[in-house]
mmCIF file of all heavy atoms in Angstrom:
data_model
loop_
_atom_site.group_PDB
_atom_site.id
_atom_site.type_symbol
_atom_site.label_atom_id
_atom_site.label_comp_id
_atom_site.label_asym_id
_atom_site.label_seq_id
_atom_site.Cartn_x
_atom_site.Cartn_y
_atom_site.Cartn_z
ATOM 1 N N ILE A 11 -1.903 -4.598 6.146
ATOM 2 C CA ILE A 11 -1.801 -4.192 4.718
ATOM 3 C C ILE A 11 -2.799 -3.108 4.402
ATOM 4 O O ILE A 11 -2.461 -2.138 3.770
ATOM 5 C CB ILE A 11 -1.911 -5.420 3.806
ATOM 6 C CG1 ILE A 11 -0.687 -6.318 3.928
ATOM 7 C CG2 ILE A 11 -2.079 -5.010 2.383
ATOM 8 C CD1 ILE A 11 -0.885 -7.702 3.239
ATOM 9 N N ASP A 14 -1.914 0.297 6.352
ATOM 10 C CA ASP A 14 -0.581 0.868 6.263
ATOM 11 C C ASP A 14 -0.506 2.075 5.216
ATOM 12 O O ASP A 14 -0.832 1.922 4.075
ATOM 13 C CB ASP A 14 0.386 -0.223 5.761
ATOM 14 C CG ASP A 14 1.860 0.219 5.792
ATOM 15 O OD1 ASP A 14 2.218 1.052 6.606
ATOM 16 O OD2 ASP A 14 2.664 -0.294 4.921
ATOM 17 N N LEU A 100 4.764 -1.884 -4.782
ATOM 18 C CA LEU A 100 3.583 -2.165 -3.993
ATOM 19 C C LEU A 100 3.767 -3.570 -3.319
ATOM 20 O O LEU A 100 3.343 -3.768 -2.159
ATOM 21 C CB LEU A 100 2.346 -2.084 -4.813
ATOM 22 C CG LEU A 100 1.027 -2.447 -4.242
ATOM 23 C CD1 LEU A 100 0.782 -1.564 -2.992
ATOM 24 C CD2 LEU A 100 -0.001 -2.480 -5.216
ATOM 25 N N GLU A 101 4.153 -4.510 -4.154
ATOM 26 C CA GLU A 101 4.266 -5.880 -3.622
ATOM 27 C C GLU A 101 5.321 -5.896 -2.497
ATOM 28 O O GLU A 101 5.163 -6.518 -1.551
ATOM 29 C CB GLU A 101 4.713 -6.782 -4.840
ATOM 30 C CG GLU A 101 4.683 -8.182 -4.346
ATOM 31 C CD GLU A 101 4.961 -9.143 -5.553
ATOM 32 O OE1 GLU A 101 4.661 -8.804 -6.760
ATOM 33 O OE2 GLU A 101 5.568 -10.201 -5.297
ATOM 34 N N ALA A 102 6.418 -5.176 -2.737
ATOM 35 C CA ALA A 102 7.515 -5.216 -1.726
ATOM 36 C C ALA A 102 6.954 -4.571 -0.363
ATOM 37 O O ALA A 102 7.107 -5.159 0.763
ATOM 38 C CB ALA A 102 8.690 -4.528 -2.200
ATOM 39 N N ILE A 103 6.333 -3.484 -0.427
ATOM 40 C CA ILE A 103 5.811 -2.742 0.759
ATOM 41 C C ILE A 103 4.646 -3.619 1.290
ATOM 42 O O ILE A 103 4.611 -3.616 2.569
ATOM 43 C CB ILE A 103 5.234 -1.330 0.282
ATOM 44 C CG1 ILE A 103 6.447 -0.478 -0.031
ATOM 45 C CG2 ILE A 103 4.454 -0.789 1.354
ATOM 46 C CD1 ILE A 103 6.132 0.861 -0.630
ATOM 47 N N THR A 104 3.886 -4.327 0.625
ATOM 48 C CA THR A 104 2.866 -5.151 1.103
ATOM 49 C C THR A 104 3.524 -6.288 1.912
ATOM 50 O O THR A 104 3.025 -6.576 3.017
ATOM 51 C CB THR A 104 1.983 -5.722 -0.039
ATOM 52 O OG1 THR A 104 1.320 -4.630 -0.643
ATOM 53 C CG2 THR A 104 0.888 -6.677 0.468
ATOM 54 N N ARG A 105 4.616 -6.851 1.365
ATOM 55 C CA ARG A 105 5.223 -7.896 2.090
ATOM 56 C C ARG A 105 5.822 -7.454 3.417
ATOM 57 O O ARG A 105 5.826 -8.068 4.331
ATOM 58 C CB ARG A 105 6.421 -8.508 1.162
ATOM 59 C CG ARG A 105 5.789 -9.429 0.168
ATOM 60 C CD ARG A 105 6.971 -9.971 -0.734
ATOM 61 N NE ARG A 105 6.395 -10.864 -1.885
ATOM 62 C CZ ARG A 105 7.070 -11.223 -2.797
ATOM 63 N NH1 ARG A 105 8.366 -11.037 -2.848
ATOM 64 N NH2 ARG A 105 6.495 -11.995 -3.668
ATOM 65 N N ILE A 106 6.437 -6.219 3.305
ATOM 66 C CA ILE A 106 7.026 -5.699 4.583
ATOM 67 C C ILE A 106 5.888 -5.462 5.619
ATOM 68 O O ILE A 106 6.059 -5.839 6.802
ATOM 69 C CB ILE A 106 7.803 -4.288 4.197
ATOM 70 C CG1 ILE A 106 8.984 -4.641 3.420
ATOM 71 C CG2 ILE A 106 8.119 -3.505 5.543
ATOM 72 C CD1 ILE A 106 9.640 -3.341 2.888
ATOM 73 N N ALA A 107 4.786 -4.850 5.308
ATOM 74 C CA ALA A 107 3.698 -4.687 6.186
ATOM 75 C C ALA A 107 3.242 -5.962 6.732
ATOM 76 O O ALA A 107 2.913 -6.131 7.963
ATOM 77 C CB ALA A 107 2.643 -3.844 5.585
ATOM 78 N N SER A 108 2.981 -6.912 5.859
ATOM 79 C CA SER A 108 2.535 -8.180 6.268
ATOM 80 C C SER A 108 3.504 -8.937 7.231
ATOM 81 O O SER A 108 3.221 -9.446 8.236
ATOM 82 C CB SER A 108 2.212 -9.023 5.158
ATOM 83 O OG SER A 108 1.838 -10.399 5.419
ATOM 84 N N GLY A 109 4.723 -8.819 6.842
ATOM 85 C CA GLY A 109 5.919 -9.433 7.680
ATOM 86 C C GLY A 109 5.991 -8.853 9.045
ATOM 87 O O GLY A 109 6.214 -9.608 9.977
ATOM 88 N N ARG A 110 5.828 -7.489 9.051
ATOM 89 C CA ARG A 110 5.937 -6.915 10.321
ATOM 90 C C ARG A 110 4.794 -7.348 11.293
ATOM 91 O O ARG A 110 4.972 -7.545 12.514
ATOM 92 C CB ARG A 110 5.880 -5.388 10.114
ATOM 93 C CG ARG A 110 6.199 -4.564 11.372
ATOM 94 C CD ARG A 110 6.288 -3.039 11.066
ATOM 95 N NE ARG A 110 5.308 -2.543 10.317
ATOM 96 C CZ ARG A 110 5.458 -1.961 9.015
ATOM 97 N NH1 ARG A 110 6.629 -1.857 8.578
ATOM 98 N NH2 ARG A 110 4.475 -1.521 8.380
ATOM 99 N N ALA A 111 3.670 -7.423 10.678
ATOM 100 C CA ALA A 111 2.498 -7.866 11.557
ATOM 101 C C ALA A 111 2.503 -9.290 11.930
ATOM 102 O O ALA A 111 2.295 -9.708 13.134
ATOM 103 C CB ALA A 111 1.176 -7.649 10.687
ATOM 104 N N ARG A 112 3.065 -10.159 10.979
ATOM 105 C CA ARG A 112 3.214 -11.606 11.283
ATOM 106 C C ARG A 112 4.293 -11.684 12.428
ATOM 107 O O ARG A 112 4.115 -12.582 13.353
ATOM 108 C CB ARG A 112 3.637 -12.387 10.102
ATOM 109 C CG ARG A 112 2.467 -12.537 9.129
ATOM 110 C CD ARG A 112 2.960 -13.184 7.925
ATOM 111 N NE ARG A 112 1.912 -13.090 6.808
ATOM 112 C CZ ARG A 112 0.972 -13.875 6.704
ATOM 113 N NH1 ARG A 112 0.844 -14.861 7.527
ATOM 114 N NH2 ARG A 112 0.037 -13.806 5.648
#
Side-chain angles (χ1 to χ4, degrees):
I11 291 168
D14 185 31
L100 173 62
E101 187 175 330
I103 289 172
T104 300
R105 285 182 182 166
I106 289 170
S108 175
R110 189 172 48 239
R112 290 174 191 276

